[in-house]
């Protein structure tokens, strides 16, 4: 879900922001290298928590600048575009963000890495007797058996990357198809 779409489908519980979010200097990129590293790390944690809470998996930087994630209206502070790109680039270095283009305007947010998602999906497949059977991406994303699972409704590209991570370690075989929702997977 994109940042814009997810506002309507937000998690009903209120997210608790960390203490730094109410501290005005948090929204200004710090000049001291050690302080800036801790600041960026705190922003990284906040971005992943916020996106997980609101189930955001795609983000447009321009749109995100005006959302509560990067704009605290109560203290009238917002992180600059450069600051947002720096935070998202730090997340990209950790494997939690993939940029869509070199302009760094849009990205996929992975509040879990594909390998972590793969392990969650595999544990579910084992627990539900889905090994040695084939199911489609659509069934995993939208199917009734996975409705109560965290991966239910996950973006197709993230889900596919997660299944490919399982394939790399020999826990699944991914079968291609004409459209993404028809891609199949067999768990071993």
């Amino acid at each position: 879900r994109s940042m814009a779409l997810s506002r309507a489908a937000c998690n009903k519980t209120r997210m608790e922001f960390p203490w730094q979010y109410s501290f005005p200097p948090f929204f200004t990129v710090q000049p001291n290298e050690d302080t800036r590293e801790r600041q960026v790390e705190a922003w990284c944690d906040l971005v992943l928590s916020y996106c997980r809470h609101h189930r955001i998996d795609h983000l447009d930087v321009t749109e995100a600048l005006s959302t509560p994630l990067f704009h605290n209206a109560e203290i009238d502070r917002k992180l600059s575009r450069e600051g947002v790109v720096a935070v998202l680039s730090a997340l990209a270095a950790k494997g939690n963000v993939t940029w869509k283009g070199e302009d760094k305007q849009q990205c996929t947010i992975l509040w879990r890495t594909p390998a972590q998602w793969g392990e969650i999906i595999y544990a579910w497949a084992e627990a539900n007797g889905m090994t040695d059977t084939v199911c489609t991406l659509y069934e995993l994303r939208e199917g009734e058996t996975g409705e109560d699972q965290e991966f239910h409704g996950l973006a197709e590209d993230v889900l596919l990357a997660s299944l490919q991570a399982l394939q790399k370690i020999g826990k699944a075989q991914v079968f291609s198809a004409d459209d993404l929702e028809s891609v199949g997977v067999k768990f071993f």
Side-chain angles (χ1 to χ4, degrees):
R1 295 181 186 112
S2 73
M3 173 76 72
L5 293 176
S6 68
R7 278 184 250 145
C10 281
N11 187 331
K12 300 290 184 212
T13 60
R14 181 166 157 71
M15 182 181 151
E16 295 295 321
F17 285 90
W19 69 269
Q20 298 99 320
Y21 189 74
S22 297
F23 187 56
F26 187 56
F27 290 85
T28 303
V29 177
Q30 297 300 303
N32 179 284
E33 188 176 338
D34 292 338
T35 304
R36 186 174 52 252
E37 283 178 22
R38 288 193 305 277
Q39 177 191 31
V40 169
E41 190 59 37
W43 270 109
C44 287
D45 292 344
L46 174 56
V47 168
L48 293 177
S49 295
Y50 186 91
C51 290
R52 181 177 184 175
H53 182 83
H54 295 289
R55 301 206 34 96
I56 296 167
D57 45 34
H58 291 88
L59 190 138
D60 179 282
V61 173
T62 302
E63 287 180 19
L65 288 169
S66 61
T67 66
L69 175 57
F70 296 114
H71 179 208
N72 184 339
E74 289 181 21
I75 63 170
D76 194 28
R77 295 298 301 236
K78 58 173 74 172
L79 189 62
S80 68
R81 177 181 173 72
E82 295 75 25
V84 171
V85 171
V87 169
L88 296 175
S89 293
L91 285 168
K94 296 178 182 190
N96 293 104
V97 162
T98 54
W99 290 106
K100 295 180 178 183
E102 292 188 28
D103 63 349
K104 295 188 176 181
Q105 174 60 35
Q106 296 185 339
C107 64
T108 299
I109 302 283
L110 303 163
W111 65 87
R112 295 188 191 277
T113 64
Q116 291 169 329
W117 278 120
E119 288 302 319
I120 290 169
I121 294 165
Y122 188 77
W124 168 83
E126 277 190 316
N128 288 282
M130 301 292 287
T131 54
D132 294 324
T133 59
V134 176
C135 60
T136 65
L137 252 64
Y138 178 81
E139 290 171 308
L140 289 172
R141 287 185 73 235
E142 308 295 333
E144 292 177 17
T145 57
E147 280 181 334
D148 61 341
Q149 299 299 308
E150 190 176 10
F151 62 81
H152 194 264
L154 195 61
E156 291 173 343
D157 56 341
V158 176
L159 185 58
L160 182 59
S162 304
L163 297 174
Q164 290 168 336
L166 285 175
Q167 182 170 279
K168 285 180 185 172
I169 60 172
K171 291 186 174 182
Q173 174 67 45
V174 178
F175 303 99
S176 60
D178 291 337
D179 63 277
L180 214 50
E181 285 193 344
S182 299
V183 168
V185 61
K186 182 176 183 178
F187 299 103
F188 303 115

